[in-house]
Amino acid sequence: MAPTVRITRRLVETLSGGKISPQLSTQVQAEERQSKAVPVKKYPAVEKSHLRETVHYGNLLLKHEGNELRQVNEFADDLIKHEYVSPQKPIPCQSERQACFSCYKENKEDLSACSKVVREYHQCSQLQNSKP
């Protein structure tokens, strides 16, 4: 880029050693206004092609985003469907347990009357613990 020299009224007065004529003054002012105007930057064709490519690539990404989101949602749904749920085991010795509680409620003062029921509950629980 070539160096730019701005000719202002003050520069001309300084170089000439005196005041400049009004006719010359208006020409200098017009040049000053022109030099202060913001130049419109023109982009070369290369930059425009890069801009077009970038916009095109951005549009492709947006198109593929919906497809990717759909695939991720399908994968998440499959994972949820195949999630492992452990089978529910029945509670062992439920009838013996209930019989034990009933006996204790009926015989609040004489708990020794429930010894037979308690023994059956204990035996059932020991059998369940010994099973593999």
Side-chain angles (χ1 to χ4, degrees):
M1 185 167 149
T4 309
V5 178
R6 291 180 57 195
I7 301 173
T8 62
R9 181 178 183 183
R10 188 173 173 187
L11 177 64
V12 173
E13 287 176 352
T14 305
L15 292 174
S16 66
K19 298 260 181 192
I20 57 173
S21 67
Q23 184 183 21
L24 186 57
S25 175
T26 55
Q27 287 175 347
V28 170
Q29 287 175 356
E31 288 176 5
E32 282 182 359
R33 276 188 242 124
Q34 264 186 341
S35 67
K36 287 181 183 177
V38 178
V40 177
K41 185 175 181 181
K42 295 184 179 181
Y43 294 103
V46 173
E47 289 182 14
K48 284 185 181 180
S49 72
H50 286 299
L51 181 62
R52 282 190 194 111
E53 287 176 18
T54 303
V55 169
H56 178 69
Y57 185 70
N59 289 335
L60 287 175
L61 287 175
L62 288 173
K63 285 180 187 176
H64 291 290
E65 178 184 19
N67 188 28
E68 291 289 325
L69 182 62
R70 183 186 52 77
Q71 287 177 349
V72 167
N73 285 334
E74 286 176 3
F75 183 68
D77 290 341
D78 286 344
L79 284 177
I80 290 170
K81 285 178 189 175
H82 295 101
E83 184 178 349
Y84 176 76
V85 178
S86 62
Q88 295 292 327
K89 292 182 180 179
I91 299 173
C93 306
Q94 191 68 17
S95 61
E96 289 84 355
R97 180 176 179 253
Q98 190 61 39
C100 198
F101 284 144
S102 297
C103 185
Y104 281 141
K105 283 182 184 177
E106 292 171 5
N107 302 309
K108 289 182 181 180
E109 281 126 32
D110 187 22
L111 298 178
S112 61
C114 299
S115 64
K116 181 181 177 191
V117 178
V118 171
R119 192 176 310 114
E120 288 173 1
Y121 182 48
H122 177 71
Q123 287 174 352
C124 179
S125 67
Q126 293 301 316
L127 284 172
Q128 293 299 320
N129 284 339
S130 66
K131 289 183 179 178

